[in-house]
Amino acid sequence: METITQHQKQVQYAEAYVSDMLVLKNIFLETQHVEKADQNFGLPFLLAKNGREVIAFASLIIDEKENISFKIYDKSRMTEAEKRNFSSRAERYCKNNNTPNFKDPEQLKSSINSMISWLNPE
């Protein structure tokens, strides 16, 4: 009997840049079943790739208690272990980042509003 090996690409992580935003917006629209980005889109800061394809991203949000948190949006192509690893990576990234968006809720709200306006031109 012949053994067939499958090489699964390892998920890679990268910071989110402005050039990534339209891809991230499309993931958000698909996963949330909405037509326009809204406050829940947040401010993306980290993404996960499988090869060249972006399969998930982490985004800073303001939670219901007005605290800075993050949410992960994924295309349902990650295993549970990959999701846990990505979540841990995003959490560490948040803790180690001292820029205003990661520490000041009012600054983050302003940045999210600017991002939404840019993504949804009227």
Side-chain angles (χ1 to χ4, degrees):
M1 184 157 59
E2 191 175 320
T3 302
I4 299 173
T5 59
Q6 291 182 344
H7 296 284
Q8 189 172 5
K9 292 181 181 175
Q10 187 173 349
V11 175
Q12 298 173 322
Y13 307 106
E15 290 183 352
Y17 292 103
V18 171
S19 59
D20 300 312
M21 290 307 139
L22 294 180
V23 170
L24 303 183
K25 176 184 173 184
N26 288 334
I27 292 172
F28 176 81
L29 297 178
E30 281 177 32
T31 61
Q32 301 303 298
H33 308 291
V34 294
E35 293 184 24
K36 290 174 79 172
D38 58 24
Q39 299 300 315
N40 294 318
F41 180 75
L43 189 66
F45 64 94
L46 194 65
L47 50 87
K49 288 182 169 185
N50 189 342
R52 290 185 171 183
E53 181 187 13
V54 176
I55 58 173
F57 70 96
S59 196
L60 289 174
I61 60 165
I62 301 292
D63 67 18
E64 60 279 346
K65 295 179 182 174
E66 297 291 312
N67 294 318
I68 295 174
S69 187
F70 70 89
K71 182 164 174 121
I72 292 177
Y73 297 99
D74 76 276
K75 290 178 153 186
S76 301
R77 294 189 186 152
M78 297 175 87
T79 65
E80 286 304 314
E82 289 169 338
K83 287 178 188 178
R84 284 191 304 273
N85 190 24
F86 186 48
S87 183
S88 294
R89 180 79 57 117
E91 191 172 330
R92 276 194 313 273
Y93 189 97
C94 285
K95 285 181 182 176
N96 294 329
N97 198 312
N98 291 317
T99 60
N101 283 325
F102 288 84
K103 303 297 177 198
D104 180 358
E106 291 305 314
Q107 173 63 42
L108 179 56
K109 282 182 192 176
S110 175
S111 295
I112 291 171
N113 287 334
S114 295
M115 178 66 67
I116 300 306
S117 294
W118 179 73
L119 289 171
N120 296 323
E122 295 296 323

